[in-house]
Amino acid sequence: MMALQSTASPQGLSGEHRDFRASVVIVSYNAKQKLMACLRSVLRSLPEGAELIVVDNASSEGNADAIASTFPEICLVRAETNLGFASGCNLGAQQARGRYLVFLNPDTLVEPGWLESLIAPLSDGEQVGLVTARILLMADPDRLNTCGNEVHLTGLTLCRGMGRARDSYPQIEEVGAVSGAAFAIRQELFERLGGFDEEMVLYVEDTDLSWRARLAGYATLYTPQSIVLHDYELRFSRLKVFWQERNRYLMLLKSLRWPTLLALLPAYLVAELVTWGFVLLKDRVGVANKLRAYGWILANWHTVLRKRQETQALRVVSDRTLLRSTGFAIDFDQTAGSAVALVARFLFNPIFFMLRAVSLAVVWW
């Protein structure tokens, strides 16, 4: 269960309890100008029966005070320290009074009708667990940021449709994982899954939540009718490599049975070649963080096993079902220059195709 953080205090909650259809949760940390634009956009389109909750992670730019004075109708939760994205979302969810939880990045803008379209598939089917939006590039709204995320058999997660035309992917369909930039989930299911894994802090937490929902028997959908613009660009923060790799390892160790992990070991070793190549080409400062990711798993093995036990308790589907939702191809164009991407695509994707086929031939449990 999620425990309420003692370092935070909510503002804007009335004494009278009211039920809402949807609660939109935004986690804020600095970037005040983008946040205020996002809030104006959401409030303009917020329908009756919905509430807006902002968790401010101790921003140094005065975000919380600006929200309190400009938007008193917003439920504001002030954290005394930077809790990270995952913990911030969980804290906002605890304040939510809606049947559906909607998580939205603070560097987004929304188009009219986005919320109703996003939660509609949750109303249509009980086995629909999470729904993600059509997310466009704010700098080029005629191009996609992502239409749900693609999950590789090694846990690597990339934007689905990145850079393609806005009208690509016109149908509602199942996807490997939601994008944490804009997605919806039933509050009851979110609580049953234990919310976001707060150990993950940021990165991969959306894929991890999607996988836990899938293990529990729920589908993850993309809906094209919900349109969100995202101020996205590939950035390399100081600890990004650590968080991405450590969290990927943690997700795999939590989710898959030991025989499955053994069967996928060759694919994981090839993925290490890919990720090491990425680090050396794009983020050499991250070399130490790649090593640090290995070290964290080893040093915190008891924590890994505890989280594994909690995740396995959700299981109602087989590993084979989970693996069938993954892909073999990596869109190297998202992370490398055209020449390097071309070489990597022809070198690694056929190998991953073969390894996935072998894994599915072996993994029947």
Side-chain angles (χ1 to χ4, degrees), residues 298-327:
L298 294 174
N300 294 274
W301 190 245
H302 290 298
T303 299
V304 173
L305 293 181
R306 174 178 57 81
K307 289 181 174 291
R308 174 181 173 82
Q309 185 177 28
E310 293 169 354
T311 300
Q312 293 300 312
L314 299 167
R315 178 187 292 276
V316 299
V317 302
S318 66
D319 276 3
R320 181 176 177 81
T321 300
L322 188 60
L323 288 180
R324 284 171 65 89
S325 72
T326 66

Side-chain angles (χ1 to χ4, degrees), residues 67-340:
I67 295 168
S69 61
T70 308
F71 305 114
E73 67 272 35
I74 290 176
C75 172
L76 173 63
V77 183
R78 298 174 184 255
E80 295 179 4
T81 60
N82 186 356
L83 304 174
F85 178 78
S87 294
C89 285
N90 286 350
L91 186 57
Q94 290 175 49
Q95 302 298 323
R97 295 168 288 175
R99 180 184 178 192
Y100 304 113
L101 296 173
V102 178
F103 295 95
L104 187 69
N105 273 14
D107 57 351
T108 59
L109 300 174
V110 297
E111 294 197 354
W114 75 281
L115 181 57
E116 296 92 330
S117 297
L118 190 61
I119 64 178
L122 295 173
S123 304
D124 294 340
E126 287 299 318
Q127 291 309 116
V128 177
L130 300 87
V131 183
T132 195
R134 180 199 297 267
I135 303 174
L136 308 175
L137 293 168
M138 192 178 296
D140 185 2
D142 289 329
R143 297 290 169 185
L144 294 175
N145 173 192
T146 187
C147 292
N149 287 338
E150 295 179 330
V151 183
H152 193 257
L153 78 157
T154 62
L156 294 166
T157 304
L158 292 170
C159 298
R160 176 171 172 263
M162 177 71 179
R164 293 193 181 183
R166 173 190 177 113
D167 294 332
S168 304
Y169 306 103
Q171 304 296 325
I172 294 178
E173 55 189 321
E174 193 165 354
V175 292
V178 297
S179 168
F183 79 95
I185 183 173
R186 291 185 192 85
Q187 187 176 56
E188 177 274 330
L189 177 59
F190 189 75
E191 292 175 355
R192 179 185 167 197
L193 297 176
F196 283 109
D197 185 340
E198 297 188 0
E199 192 68 63
M200 291 190 167
V201 184
L202 73 167
Y203 298 122
V204 190
E205 75 292 321
D206 46 5
T207 305
D208 175 72
L209 184 67
S210 300
W211 266 32
R212 282 184 281 134
R214 192 178 293 275
L215 278 176
Y218 293 89
T220 299
L221 299 186
Y222 149 75
T223 179
Q225 285 76 32
S226 178
I227 299 178
V228 175
L229 286 77
H230 187 202
D231 187 21
Y232 173 88
E233 62 178 311
L234 186 62
R235 302 182 182 94
F236 298 99
S237 60
R238 185 172 59 89
L239 293 175
K240 184 172 184 177
V241 168
F242 168 73
W243 292 123
Q244 285 190 323
E245 289 295 88
R246 192 284 304 262
N247 292 351
R248 178 169 68 92
Y249 302 147
L250 180 56
M251 180 186 74
L252 293 169
L253 289 167
K254 286 164 49 176
S255 303
L256 298 173
R257 300 183 191 274
W258 295 119
T260 307
L261 292 168
L262 182 61
L264 286 169
L265 184 59
Y268 295 152
L269 294 176
V270 177
E272 287 304 296
L273 293 177
V274 172
T275 53
W276 269 111
F278 172 82
V279 169
L280 293 174
L281 284 172
K282 289 287 189 177
D283 187 25
R284 292 183 182 178
V285 177
V287 168
N289 288 323
K290 175 77 169 165
L291 296 173
R292 184 182 172 190
Y294 299 145
W296 189 96
I297 294 295
L298 294 174
N300 294 274
W301 190 245
H302 290 298
T303 299
V304 173
L305 293 181
R306 174 178 57 81
K307 289 181 174 291
R308 174 181 173 82
Q309 185 177 28
E310 293 169 354
T311 300
Q312 293 300 312
L314 299 167
R315 178 187 292 276
V316 299
V317 302
S318 66
D319 276 3
R320 181 176 177 81
T321 300
L322 188 60
L323 288 180
R324 284 171 65 89
S325 72
T326 66
F328 71 89
I330 297 176
D331 184 2
F332 289 99
D333 290 315
Q334 293 188 33
T335 58
S338 57
V340 173

